[in-house]
Amino acid sequence: MQNISQSLSLAPLYRHRVFQSTRKVDCHAQVANELSEHDLFWKGDDVDTVLFKAAIRQLQIFMLKYGAEVIVRPRLFNGFALVHMTLSGTAEIEADGQKVCIPQGKTALIAPKRNLRLWWQAGSEQLILKVPMALFDELSAQGQSGPANMPSLFLLPEHAAPHWDLLIQSLLRVLALPGQNDGHTEWISHFERGAAQFLLSQLTSTYTAGPTAAGIAADESADGLIGAGKLQRLDMLEKYIRTRLCAPLALADLANAAGVSVRALNALCHQHHGVAPMDLLRNIRLDAARERLLTHPGANITDTAFEFGFGHLGRFSAYYRERFGELPKQTRGCTR
């Protein structure tokens, strides 16, 4: 069955092109002006940036494509959050120590407190919804529950994706109205509030659920760690992994490095990275291998796989393609 996100009708948005350019300086300046100040690092010269933007009432919708592979480091957002939806390709987002991969059809809410880094695969297209924090505050004042503090990074659950896709399609259809005059004002505001309310409801069910049996079990498995204590354990774990990228490591080794039980480590990794500890280990090794192939055009793929802990070349290639949307040889080919 086709994912709804693959069949979104973007025609109403495509009537509002801000710019299209193959010049890196122009692209950087235009996107910064429309979205947020940021540092932009290009990997390759295949620049074909296009930006579409449409304002509804309180919300703004963007479609952005760079063409080339890029790393973006935005400044902290001032009074807004972004909802990031990958239309094609793959993106990776790291906010305040949390990292998630966002392949085609996945959606994440981003509201960084300290730092943010985004990696976009070459040729990928991203649909971005800019939501003012004032709208979330307004809904909270009206009784819509939500977490006390907006999380830095929240990956929309799989079961919620079809409902979110339908909400986005409704917002896109609003753009097709002949004129957003007073006769449509309340109706349009209803769709905007509905989208924000849906996000708050997903945050509520994830972060503020009552003490159910599952919730109590999760608390126990986290060994009572809270706040900075969790981040410190995760930092210890990542430092341990990065100094042993080619070493054979077991789950018990990772738990010992973080100073927690295996059950607690599993809960922490799922909460902050969305994956199990051994999957996190593999992802960090894949990231390191990709960096090697990007920075060393002549690197041998087999040697690179072994250097970063992958003893089977076929599985390495399969994992690599699953994470980055291309084979290792394609990455190396782009750098030549």
Side-chain angles (χ1 to χ4, degrees):
M1 181 176 178
Q2 185 182 30
N3 191 305
I4 296 177
S5 63
Q6 297 176 359
S7 58
L8 286 175
S9 177
L10 299 178
L13 181 57
Y14 288 156
R15 298 170 188 163
H16 303 272
R17 188 172 67 183
V18 176
F19 81 97
Q20 184 168 9
S21 177
T22 58
R23 297 184 59 192
K24 294 181 178 180
V25 175
D26 290 344
C27 299
H28 186 185
Q30 292 271 15
V31 175
N33 183 60
E34 296 294 342
L35 274 165
S36 174
E37 288 291 337
H38 61 279
D39 296 324
L40 180 61
F41 304 92
W42 300 87
K43 292 194 172 183
D45 295 318
D46 188 19
V47 179
D48 182 16
T49 303
V50 59
L51 175 68
F52 298 89
K53 170 192 174 183
I56 304 177
R57 290 187 61 81
Q58 297 189 66
L59 304 183
Q60 296 178 336
I61 302 180
F62 302 83
M63 198 292 281
L64 177 58
K65 172 186 173 184
Y66 280 107
E69 177 185 354
V70 295
I71 293 177
V72 185
R73 294 186 181 275
R75 310 290 191 269
L76 291 183
F77 300 163
N78 184 17
F80 65 89
L82 293 181
V83 184
H84 182 291
M85 182 178 187
T86 299
L87 296 175
S88 65
T90 302
E92 182 181 88
I93 300 177
E94 184 175 3
D96 301 341
Q98 302 178 54
K99 183 188 293 186
V100 297
C101 181
I102 309 181
Q104 181 175 326
K106 298 293 184 180
T107 300
L109 175 66
I110 315 170
K113 313 296 189 302
R114 298 187 304 277
N115 52 69
L116 176 65
R117 173 187 177 275
L118 303 96
W119 168 83
W120 289 7
Q121 180 186 22
S124 63
E125 299 179 336
Q126 315 297 331
L127 189 70
I128 300 171
L129 187 67
K130 191 173 184 179
V131 186
M133 296 302 294
L135 180 55
F136 290 122
D137 294 339
E138 174 189 331
L139 293 171
S140 297
Q142 294 174 1
Q144 173 70 44
S145 60
N149 295 302
M150 185 73 67
S152 301
L153 183 58
F154 174 72
L155 188 63
L156 201 66
E158 186 75 26
H159 65 82
H163 306 289
W164 176 251
D165 290 344
L166 290 173
L167 284 168
I168 287 293
Q169 188 65 77
S170 297
L171 290 172
L172 289 167
R173 286 172 179 165
V174 166
L175 299 177
L177 290 173
Q180 295 183 26
N181 53 39
D182 292 339
H184 295 132
T185 298
E186 187 56 36
W187 183 68
I188 293 170
S189 296
H190 167 75
F191 279 108
E192 290 192 323
R193 288 195 302 269
Q197 284 176 330
F198 181 80
L199 292 170
L200 284 179
S201 71
Q202 296 305 309
L203 292 172
T204 299
S205 62
T206 301
Y207 289 94
T208 61
T212 60
I216 293 172
D219 289 341
E220 291 175 348
S221 69
D223 287 351
L225 292 173
I226 59 173
K230 293 182 179 182
L231 295 179
Q232 182 180 16
R233 301 291 185 180
L234 290 169
D235 286 342
M236 292 167 57
L237 173 64
E238 289 198 30
K239 288 178 182 178
Y240 177 82
I241 291 174
R242 294 185 190 286
T243 58
R244 294 165 177 79
L245 289 175
C246 65
L249 297 177
L251 182 57
D253 297 325
L254 302 184
N256 289 334
V260 297
S261 67
V262 169
R263 186 172 61 177
L265 181 64
N266 189 59
L268 286 175
C269 287
H270 275 288
Q271 180 180 354
H272 289 272
H273 293 286
V275 296
M278 296 305 287
D279 290 333
L280 176 63
L281 168 65
R282 185 175 67 224
N283 288 344
I284 291 176
R285 287 175 165 173
L286 286 169
D287 291 345
R290 181 176 180 80
E291 186 65 25
R292 172 61 58 83
L293 294 175
L294 287 169
T295 56
H296 295 75
N300 180 278
I301 292 176
T302 300
D303 291 345
T304 300
F306 287 141
E307 181 177 352
F308 293 105
F310 296 93
H312 189 284
L313 185 60
R315 282 197 289 270
F316 167 68
S317 296
Y319 289 140
Y320 193 98
R321 180 166 56 183
E322 179 182 354
R323 182 159 177 78
F324 302 116
E326 63 182 15
L327 292 170
K329 63 182 180 181
Q330 293 174 295
T331 301
R332 188 183 61 178
C334 291
T335 63
R336 290 181 170 177

